[in-house]
Amino acid sequence: ESGVHGHDLALGSGSVDGIVGGELFWSWHRAFITGAMHYAIRTEGAFQYHFANELTWAGGPGAYVLLEHDHTLALQSLVSGETKGKDHQAGARLDDTAVTNLYVGPRILYTWGTSLTLEGAVDVPVVQHETQLQIVADYRLRAAAVWRF
């Protein structure tokens, strides 16, 4: 049995989705704590396919190991997770689309002035619960770069 299903290969559903959420940041001296939560509200798209709503969150403590006026370097211990219900097609529930994952791992952040921000993280799964047979990641690597001008 294959773990790749037709809905896994969809280019786009044609649905209109709304994402709501927020982020928090608190610091004291060189220590900080972040938290973020986002909820994706999905509508039915093409072919009567409705992707389930999804909740993602992340947060954890960190510290600035370098804190200068023109650049910073921070390390953070991050816990993140996601949960998504079962999709529906033509009113029928699909039993191979729900997932709940919990990850832990390090995150590194670098800023240079007000123009450049770099981020890298490794997410190692500690809980992976999926309905029926699905392909899931052994780990995730995330990277981001932002240049403001």
Side-chain angles (χ1 to χ4, degrees):
E1 184 177 6
S2 174
V4 179
H5 310 97
H7 47 266
D8 295 325
L9 303 175
L11 295 176
S13 70
S15 69
V16 176
D17 304 333
I19 300 174
V20 296
E23 298 185 19
L24 299 171
F25 178 85
W26 177 84
S27 66
W28 181 69
H29 297 284
R30 289 181 176 252
F32 65 88
I33 295 175
T34 64
M37 185 175 293
H38 299 100
Y39 188 72
I41 304 164
R42 315 263 188 221
T43 64
E44 185 175 297
F47 309 106
Q48 296 180 321
Y49 198 90
H50 183 200
F51 283 96
N53 295 346
E54 183 175 6
L55 175 69
T56 58
W57 55 271
Y64 289 100
V65 294
L66 179 64
L67 187 57
E68 301 294 330
H69 180 70
D70 58 343
H71 59 278
T72 66
L73 178 66
L75 298 176
Q76 184 177 22
S77 177
L78 198 63
V79 176
S80 61
E82 59 192 359
T83 187
K84 178 185 159 304
K86 294 180 180 180
D87 298 349
H88 290 79
Q89 186 168 25
R93 184 179 68 190
L94 302 174
D95 291 329
D96 59 351
T97 58
V99 65
T100 298
N101 294 320
L102 177 66
Y103 301 94
V104 297
R107 179 180 180 208
I108 186 168
L109 301 149
Y110 175 78
T111 62
W112 180 58
T114 59
S115 299
L116 178 66
T117 302
L118 302 173
E119 173 186 342
V122 177
D123 297 331
V124 178
V126 292
V127 172
Q128 286 187 312
H129 174 73
E130 50 289 326
T131 55
Q132 294 193 358
L133 180 63
Q134 295 181 39
I135 294 176
V136 294
D138 292 331
Y139 60 90
R140 298 188 308 190
L141 300 175
R142 295 182 292 119
V146 176
W147 179 261
R148 292 183 214 145
F149 52 91

